[in-house]
């Protein structure tokens, strides 16, 4: 059978469709709340955070919180109430690890539904091989006082 341009185009389209389907299935399997036991990197976690906010899905957002953190559901509901439904499209995610390998700051650069640029910083933490959005509070954590919140005393300034 002779390969005509039409047959070659059909074969290429079929190959592209199969590849797209395979990538879609892989994406659904690796991120979000459906991939509970699987590794999720910082960028995937930041994008899942934006998707949960866009969908106003407090349950999905709470599932991005670290396991065992108290108040993650309440924090997720509050975030959805104030930040949800903006129709953000993620343009870029920059990740920094200034506080060690298991803590990260993700700077999300996005465009909202009206075409305006939006920047949001999200704190992430890693447990085992999976990244989580820092929602709620770790019940085993020791409260820490914030550094540099009081002005220096006059004696220290001289």
């Amino acid at each position: 059978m002779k390969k005509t341009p039409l047959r070659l185009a059909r074969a290429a389209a079929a190959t592209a469709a199969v590849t797209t389907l395979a990538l879609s299935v892989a994406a659904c399997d690796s991120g979000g709340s459906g991939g509970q036991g699987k590794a999720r990197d910082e960028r995937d976690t930041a994008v899942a955070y934006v998707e949960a906010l866009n969908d106003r899905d407090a349950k999905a957002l709470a599932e991005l919180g670290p396991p065992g953190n108290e108040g993650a559901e309440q924090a997720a509901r509050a975030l959805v109430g104030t930040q949800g439904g903006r129709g953000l499209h993620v343009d870029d995610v920059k990740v920094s690890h200034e506080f060690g390998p298991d803590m990260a700051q993700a700077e999300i650069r996005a465009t909202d539904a009206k075409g305006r640029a939006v920047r949001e910083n999200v704190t992430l933490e890693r447990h085992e091989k999976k990244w989580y959005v820092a929602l709620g509070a770790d019940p085993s954590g020791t409260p820490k006082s914030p550094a540099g919140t009081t002005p220096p005393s006059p004696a220290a300034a001289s």
Side-chain angles (χ1 to χ4, degrees), residues 25 27 34 43 49 69 83 94 100 103 110 117 121-122 129 147 152-153 155:
V25 169
R43 185 182 194 298
Y49 168 83
N69 271 21
Q83 302 292 321
K94 294 192 184 293
M103 293 293 294
N121 289 308
V122 178
K129 295 182 180 183
S153 66

Side-chain angles (χ1 to χ4, degrees), residues 12 15 21-22 26 30 33 42 59 70-71 74-75 106 119 121 127 132:
T15 301
L21 179 63
S30 65
S33 61
E42 301 95 312
K59 182 177 187 268
E70 295 175 352
Q74 182 179 0
R119 283 189 188 181
N121 289 308
H127 293 271
Y132 295 90

Side-chain angles (χ1 to χ4, degrees), residues 18 22 33 35 41 70 74 87 98 105 109 119-120 154-155:
V18 169
S33 61
D41 71 11
E70 295 175 352
Q74 182 179 0
E98 294 180 30
Q105 188 72 24
R109 295 179 186 206
R119 283 189 188 181
E120 185 164 343

Side-chain angles (χ1 to χ4, degrees), residues 25-115:
V25 169
C28 289
D29 193 35
S30 65
S33 61
Q36 284 292 31
K38 300 186 179 178
R40 179 176 59 212
D41 71 11
E42 301 95 312
R43 185 182 194 298
D44 291 340
T45 304
V47 169
Y49 168 83
V50 170
E51 289 172 353
L53 285 176
N54 282 343
D55 295 342
R56 300 185 65 84
D57 188 345
K59 182 177 187 268
L61 187 57
E63 288 175 357
L64 292 172
N69 271 21
E70 295 175 352
E73 289 179 20
Q74 182 179 0
R77 283 192 302 275
L79 273 170
V80 165
T82 60
Q83 302 292 321
R86 294 186 294 169
L88 297 179
H89 169 75
V90 176
D91 299 318
D92 190 27
V93 177
K94 294 192 184 293
V95 177
S96 65
H97 292 272
E98 294 180 30
F99 300 105
D102 293 329
M103 293 293 294
Q105 188 72 24
E107 179 184 310
I108 302 168
R109 295 179 186 206
T111 307
D112 71 8
K114 295 181 181 178

